[in-house]
Every structure is written in C-alpha cells, then in structure tokens.
C-alpha cells in the first residue's frame, strides 16, 4: 500500500503535522515542581555526561539534553506519557515565566502554525541527537528494512563495540532511577528495608509489528523479540525489562515488618530471553554503589536456568542470599560436593535416608504447591540432616558449612562422626551465663530427641580408614566457594541459601515474588502505564530505554508520595527531599567516545 501524497498547499500540510497546541486555559505547572524535577535530573548526572559526549559534535547546538529530558519528566509526571508532543506542550504552554528562564524557553508560546511546527521539530531533533550519540548503530527507524539489512544492524548490537555502547546507555538510564532511590535512602525512608530484592523480567510492548516473512521485511524495532509470559504462555512482541524491586521476607515470629516504600531499584531493557542473568547482575552492581544493605534475592526459574558465571556467582559475591525455584526435572538429588549430596539446593548428610533425598524427585508444580501430609513430613524431616552455616560469606562470597552432627547444637546423632572426630568432654560446672530458652540456636536437643544416622552394618564391625570416608565426614567443616562451577557446575547453579520448600523458604520466596508481581501491576496500571506503547511511541531500543527510565523515575516518585501520605506525612515530596538526593557515585563504566565507526549509517551487507 502506497503512502498518500501530501497536498501541495502548505497550509494544509501544517494542519496535518503534529503536535497541536493545548486548549485555552490549560493549567500552569508550579515553579516548585519544575525546580524539584530539575534538581533530581541534575543530581543524576545524565545531562552533564550527555553534554560531554556532544561537545565535539559539529553544527548548531540545538535544544540541549537537559531541556529534552526535563520536558519528558514533566510530561510523564503530569500526563503519564513520555512523548515529545506532550513535552513540547508543557515546555511552551505549561511553564511559568520563571521556570522558562531555567530551561531557556522563550517567554511567549510560538505564534502561528509554522512557528509551532518549527519549535516542535527542534525538540524532536534534540531527542534524536541524544539517541544518535548513544545508539550503537544508526539506521532508519521510520520504515521496515529488508530482513538481511536488519539482521546486519542487529548483529552490531552483539559486537564488542555494540555491547560497550549498550552498557553505557543502560548505565545512564539507570542513574536517573537510582537518583530517586538515593533520595529515599538519604531521607531515611528506607530504614525499614532489610535489603531483600526481587528480580523479574516483565514485557514492554511496542507499537511496531513483528518481522514479516511474506514480505521479507524486518520490524522497525530490529532488536525486539517475543516475550513469553511464564504463567499463561502468552507472547508479546517488544522488549523485556528486568526490574529489581525492594521487598522483604516474613520472619517466623509474629513481628510485623517495618514499613518502607517498595521502589524500583533499577532496570535493564533488552531483547527477550537474551542476557537474562547479566542484566540482573548489572542492576545489582549499580545498586551496590549506593551502599545499601543486601539480603535475600528471590527470582523465578528463568534465573535458576542461567549459567552460574552470569548470575549465581556474581550475585553471591555481591552479598545476596539466593532463594530460587526449580523445574520438574531439577528437583530432588542435583549433585554433590565433597561427598555431601546436594538435594533441592541444600547440602545434606551423606547418610541421609533415600526417601528424604528423593521426596521431591519428579514432583510436578501442583504437587509442590499443594503438598500432601506425607510430603510435608519428609520435607520437615530433611531439616535435621542439612549442613549448618558456620561462617557467613567472605569477600568472595565463600561460606563454611559444618556437619549436622557437629558443633555445640548437633541436630543428629552419628556414630561415624563420634569415631572420626570424638567430642572433647566438657567439665560439669555451673553455667557462667543464663541460657535463653527461647533461642533455638542457644540450646541443644538431648540425644534422645535427635534422629540417629544409620551407618552400614559393615562399618560397625570393620570401620574403614578415614581416607575411604567422604571428606565432609572427616573434616570439621567444609568451604563452599561462590564460584564452584569450576569443580561442580551443579552446585553453583542450584545451591540456594534458604532450604527449599521449608518454612523459611516459603516465608522468603513467596512474599518477595508477590512484591515483584505487585510492582509490575502497579507500574502497568493507572495513568502511568509503562506497558502501554502509546505512552512511549518513539521507536528504537535506545529511545525506549530512555523513555522507560523517565517513566520508572516518575513511578518511584509516585510511590514515595503515596507512602508518605499513608504515613500521615506531607502530601508530596518537598524541596528538602530532592536536595537530599546528593550526587550519585561517579560512573565507573567504560567511557564511550563517539568514533567514526559509530557515526553515520552503516552500509548494507554485501550480497553475493
């Protein structure tokens, strides 16, 4: 179908163009709110870094990045849409005279259709300038390219230069979101947060259509793909955004968790099912620069399936404890480490009864969710055979575990342990301190109340030497490194720090995952809907990343204001809140200098 030809009459052409001015009597935005958002934007450091990248660009300066981003922030805050058209209306028709001087906007709105179109085009070109300097590969984003040409451009995103440029883009976009997190942290709003994080990938739908095999043309969004929803199996064409959400686990007691705002702690926009683990690690690495606490990190089975060097190992080195879920084929016996079997992510005694080890082998999701009484008893009986934490993670994420029959509070009786490592008798004297009977770790069960490990009969009559025993039985404790994939990839992949399906796991995994789903629903509903492609219509992964960062920043501000209102605080954030954001840590990522190889449009691939 041919595109309709534009009429020759210039007046008709102008009427066809957008955007149109707002209706008369539009409300003015107070200077205080403009100043607050400008403070947040400046504290993020994004305008300064963009100016540094654009300083050697030839030609007229045009609309500066600070003005473009400020207009998009105001548009998302007041309309829920991060569009250039709405930003133009606000900048030229919604600002007071004082705010206009801050951004260099003329005192009067453009007069006449031609002046309006000219001013709006300058704002569009300002956004295009930002995306051009950040885009790993420039191409025509207004029409569908031949599939071979689109594949050529998409492959550049996966090249070393493309990944460096993409990392720079994500770092810049995340700094805007992290500015709100730092603001909440400095103002003490995150005092009740214990460091638990939920990571999940949500679909970001785009307006563009997918590739057309019949016509041999690619989508306008050359790096987009199909995002498959795990719960329903539905698929959405667009991008996947990995969101890190502040969450908390439930303690075994009845103590109510402390209140805190459930903010988005960072995001990463990428092609669906690509770099799932590395994207989450990138978010957590930037978050660690703020000096926030680290707790339990819960993620779904998409992250369990990641390669250990790309997710599990770096996450443990950042100080997080993992709470994971497994597929049907991954449940039960998963491997071993120094003679200790790895069962559902936990190391257990080598002489654990087989019915307990294989209690969940082959169990489907319904069986695990609706556990029978028999399965519950087996899972609870596993607790006595679990290795106990002796020392927490060191600087490299390694931990030390000890045999369940060792220590001052053994959970099982083991004749093998008594033979290989006899206990040192303690003198019977009066205790030097008062024992807290309410603390289960401060007292030991009597031997008659502990399960007894059954060793083979031959071992009773002819005990083998220590060299023939599993290493965990001979040593007082064992070291489990975070990067155990070099010796056993199964241990690094499946091990988690909360016993699977036990009460602590249920009290950690379920609440944190529900926080993730709740945040996704909150960000995709109401006026600000990050899942609506009409709220961020500009095409291209670079533009979509910037617009999503703007919308998530506004979403965090909305969460903070709602949280303060519910706490009987002020109805909105004050200037002191935005001033407390402070300057973010310097960007430690690799600096990008626009070179001749990354400017201009790449030639089409050669065809033979």
């Amino acid at each position: 179908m041919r595109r309709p030809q534009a009429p020759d009459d210039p007046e008709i052409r102008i009427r066809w163009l957008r955007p149109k001015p707002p209706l008369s009597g539009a409300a003015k935005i107070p200077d205080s709110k403009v100043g607050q958002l400008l403070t947040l934007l400046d504290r993020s450091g994004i305008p300064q870094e963009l100016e540094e990248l654009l300083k050697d660009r030839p030609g007229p300066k045009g609309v500066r990045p600070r003005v473009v981003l400020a207009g998009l922030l105001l548009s998302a805050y007041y309309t829920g849409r991060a569009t250039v058209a709405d930003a133009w209306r606000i900048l030229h028709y919604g600002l007071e005279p004082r705010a206009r001087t801050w951004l260099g906007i003329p005192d009067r709105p453009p007069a006449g259709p031609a002046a309006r179109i000219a001013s709006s085009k300058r704002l569009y070109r300002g956004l295009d300038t930002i995306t051009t300097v950040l885009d790993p590969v420039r191409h025509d984003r207004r029409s569908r390219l031949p599939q071979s040409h689109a594949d050529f451009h998409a492959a550049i995103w996966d090249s070393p230069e493309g990944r460096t440029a993409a990392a720079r883009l994500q770092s810049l976009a995340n700094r805007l979101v992290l500015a709100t997190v730092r603001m909440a942290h400095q103002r003490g709003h995150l005092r009740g947060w214990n460091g638990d994080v939920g990571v999940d990938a949500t679909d970001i739908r785009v307006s563009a259509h997918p590739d057309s095999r019949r016509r041999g043309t690619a989508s306008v969004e050359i790096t987009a793909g199909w995002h498959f929803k795990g719960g329903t199996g539905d698929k959405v064409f667009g991008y996947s955004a990995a969101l890190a959400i502040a969450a908390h686990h439930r303690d075994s007691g009845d103590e109510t968790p402390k209140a805190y705002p459930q903010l988005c702690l960072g995001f990463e926009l990428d092609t669906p099912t690509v770099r799932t683990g590395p994207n989450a690690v990138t978010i957590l690495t930037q978050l660690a620069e703020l000096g926030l606490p680290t707790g339990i990190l819960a993620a779904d089975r998409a992250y369990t399936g990641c390669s250990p060097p790309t997710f599990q190992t770096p996450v443990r080195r950042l100080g997080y404890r993992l709470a994971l879920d497994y597929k049907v084929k991954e449940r039960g016996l998963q491997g071993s480490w120094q003679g200790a079997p790895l069962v559902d992510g936990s190391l257990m005694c080598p002489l654990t009864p087989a019915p307990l080890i294989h209690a969940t082998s082959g169990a489907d999701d319904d069986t695990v969710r609706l556990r029978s009484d028999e399965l519950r008893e087996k899972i609870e009986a596993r607790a006595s055979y679990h290795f106990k934490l002796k020392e927490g993670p060191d600087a490299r994420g390694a931990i030390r575990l000890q045999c369940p029959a060792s220590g001052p509070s053994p959970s099982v009786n083991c004749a093998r342990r008594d033979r290989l490592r006899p206990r040192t008798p303690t003198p019977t004297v009066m205790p030097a301190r008062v024992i807290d009977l309410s603390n289960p770790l401060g007292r030991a069960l009597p031997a008659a109340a502990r399960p007894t490990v059954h060793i083979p009969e031959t071992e009773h009559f002819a005990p083998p030497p220590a060299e023939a025993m599993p290493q965990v039985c001979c040593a007082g404790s064992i070291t489990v490194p975070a990067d155990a994939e070099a010796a056993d990839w199964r241990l690094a992949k499946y091990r988690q720090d909360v016993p699977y399906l036990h009460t602590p796991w249920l009290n950690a995994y379920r609440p944190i995952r529900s926080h993730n789903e709740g945040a996704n629903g909150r960000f995709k509903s109401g006026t600000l809907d990050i899942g609506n492609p009409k709220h961020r219509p500009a095409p291209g992964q670079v533009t979509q990343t910037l617009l999503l960062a703007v919308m998530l920043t506004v979403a965090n501000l909305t969460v903070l204001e709602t949280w303060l209102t519910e706490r009987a605080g002020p109805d909105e954030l004050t200037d002191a809140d935005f001033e407390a954001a402070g300057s973010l840590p310097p960007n430690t990522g690799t600096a990008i200098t626009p070179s001749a190889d990354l400017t201009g449009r790449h030639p089409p691939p050669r065809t033979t």
Side-chain angles (χ1 to χ4, degrees):
M1 180 178 179
R2 296 183 59 187
R3 182 178 300 174
Q5 298 295 323
D8 296 331
D9 188 352
E11 294 296 332
I12 298 179
R13 287 188 178 185
I14 289 178
R15 285 198 298 269
W16 278 18
L17 293 174
R18 297 292 187 271
K20 291 183 177 180
L23 299 176
S24 59
K28 295 290 185 179
I29 297 176
D31 293 342
S32 59
K33 183 56 64 178
V34 179
Q36 290 173 354
L37 294 180
L38 283 177
T39 300
L40 185 69
L41 181 61
D42 293 336
R43 296 297 172 86
S44 70
I46 297 179
Q48 296 86 334
E49 293 198 31
L50 290 176
E51 290 290 351
E52 184 68 21
L53 293 175
L54 294 171
K55 65 179 181 179
D56 297 328
R57 183 181 176 89
K61 298 299 183 181
V63 180
R64 307 318 300 160
R66 183 172 183 260
V67 180
V68 177
L69 295 176
L72 291 173
L73 272 174
L74 289 168
S75 173
Y77 189 87
Y78 283 98
T79 69
R81 301 182 298 271
T83 65
V84 180
D86 290 305
W88 173 81
R89 293 190 187 97
I90 288 178
L91 290 176
H92 288 276
Y93 293 91
L95 298 184
E96 298 287 354
R98 186 183 179 189
R100 289 173 177 269
T101 60
W102 296 340
L103 295 171
I105 304 297
D107 294 338
R108 295 181 179 275
R116 288 196 295 268
I117 296 302
S119 62
S120 66
K121 283 188 174 181
R122 284 194 293 271
L123 193 61
Y124 275 100
R125 286 195 296 269
L127 178 61
D128 184 69
T129 300
I130 297 174
T131 58
T132 298
V133 76
L134 295 176
D135 202 335
V137 49
R138 294 177 60 193
H139 65 280
D140 187 1
R141 295 189 295 269
R142 296 167 297 178
S143 60
R144 301 168 71 100
L145 299 177
Q147 189 66 58
S148 57
H149 292 194
D151 293 341
F152 172 78
H153 292 304
I156 297 178
W157 276 83
D158 294 326
S159 64
E161 296 82 4
R163 295 317 309 161
T164 303
R168 177 72 172 197
L169 167 66
Q170 295 288 355
S171 176
L172 279 176
N174 242 342
R175 288 173 70 85
L176 186 58
V177 179
L178 287 175
T180 60
V181 179
R182 183 179 179 86
M183 176 179 66
H185 177 53
Q186 294 296 329
R187 294 292 286 175
H189 302 323
L190 296 179
R191 284 193 298 264
W193 179 53
N194 57 10
D196 294 345
V197 177
V199 177
D200 190 21
T202 185
D203 62 280
I204 302 297
R205 190 189 301 268
V206 295
S207 301
H209 295 286
D211 302 342
S212 175
R213 294 184 179 180
R214 182 175 63 86
R215 297 183 178 181
T217 56
S219 172
V220 174
E221 302 280 357
I222 62 172
T223 55
W226 290 104
H227 177 102
F228 291 88
K229 299 182 180 181
T232 61
D234 298 336
K235 61 180 182 179
V236 174
F237 184 75
Y239 297 98
S240 289
L243 302 181
I245 305 298
H248 66 271
H249 65 275
R250 290 194 299 263
D251 293 325
S252 56
D254 297 331
E255 183 179 355
T256 304
K258 296 181 180 179
Y260 64 93
Q262 293 181 358
L263 301 176
C264 174
L265 304 174
F267 82 102
E268 191 91 1
L269 190 74
D270 207 343
T271 307
T273 69
V274 176
R275 292 176 288 272
T276 302
N279 288 341
V281 173
T282 301
I283 299 172
L284 299 175
T285 302
Q286 282 193 268
L287 184 63
E289 297 175 357
L290 301 184
L292 296 173
T294 57
I296 298 176
L297 185 140
D300 59 14
R301 287 177 284 193
Y303 293 89
T304 308
C306 294
S307 176
T310 63
F311 178 68
Q312 289 90 338
T313 298
V315 167
R316 290 190 179 103
R317 286 179 174 173
L318 289 172
Y320 290 94
R321 295 174 291 154
L322 289 176
L324 306 172
D325 194 9
Y326 303 115
K327 298 179 180 178
V328 175
K329 296 182 179 180
E330 297 171 341
R331 296 187 177 115
L333 182 61
Q334 299 164 327
S336 63
W337 178 254
Q338 298 184 11
L342 180 68
V343 181
D344 285 338
S346 299
L347 291 174
M348 302 185 69
C349 171
L351 297 177
T352 302
L356 301 184
I357 292 179
H358 300 288
T360 56
S361 298
D364 56 18
D365 294 340
D366 291 336
T367 303
V368 170
R369 294 191 184 101
L370 306 173
R371 296 180 301 279
S372 62
D373 294 338
E374 181 182 1
L375 181 58
R376 290 175 185 271
E377 292 178 359
K378 291 181 178 180
I379 291 175
E380 292 175 359
R382 283 178 174 180
S384 301
Y385 297 89
H386 283 155
F387 272 61
K388 298 176 293 185
L389 181 65
K390 184 177 181 180
E391 294 181 12
D394 56 13
R396 294 185 55 84
I399 62 174
R400 290 190 65 81
L401 302 177
Q402 66 179 3
C403 166
S406 302
S409 301
S411 57
V412 294
N413 301 316
C414 181
R416 176 184 292 179
R417 186 265 179 202
D418 295 337
R419 178 177 64 85
L420 296 176
R421 291 178 288 111
R423 296 181 183 274
T424 302
T426 57
T428 57
V429 296
M430 294 295 294
R433 59 184 176 86
V434 178
I435 299 176
D436 184 7
L437 297 179
S438 63
N439 181 15
L441 299 180
R443 65 184 190 274
L445 289 174
R450 299 193 295 261
T452 299
V453 175
H454 297 282
I455 63 176
E457 293 185 2
T458 55
E459 188 173 340
H460 283 287
F461 301 103
E467 294 76 12
M469 295 284 98
Q471 186 175 353
V472 295
C473 296
C474 302
S477 60
I478 59 174
T479 300
V480 182
D483 53 350
E485 65 269 8
D488 190 345
W489 63 269
R490 295 177 182 83
L491 177 67
K493 185 182 183 71
Y494 297 122
R495 183 177 69 85
Q496 55 179 313
D497 301 280
V498 187
Y500 185 60
L501 296 181
H502 288 255
T503 301
W505 185 88
L506 298 175
N507 290 340
Y509 187 83
R510 288 181 175 179
I512 296 177
R513 290 287 300 138
S514 66
H515 295 328
N516 257 124
E517 298 299 333
N520 292 343
R522 183 169 59 250
F523 295 158
K524 289 186 174 182
S525 62
T527 305
L528 185 72
D529 183 0
I530 67 172
N532 189 347
K534 294 182 179 180
H535 289 187
R536 35 172 183 77
Q541 183 173 343
V542 176
T543 312
Q544 289 288 305
T545 301
L546 294 176
L547 298 183
L548 185 60
V550 168
M551 298 181 74
L552 288 175
T553 301
V554 173
N556 273 356
L557 295 177
T558 305
V559 170
L560 279 172
E561 290 177 347
T562 304
W563 184 79
L564 289 174
T565 303
E566 293 175 350
R567 306 272 87 74
D571 293 338
E572 59 181 13
L573 296 170
T574 62
D575 293 344
D577 292 319
F578 288 89
E579 291 291 342
S583 300
L584 289 173
N587 188 6
T588 57
T590 304
I592 295 178
T593 302
S595 61
D597 297 334
L598 294 178
T599 58
R601 183 174 300 171
H602 284 266
R606 296 181 179 179
T607 57
T608 56

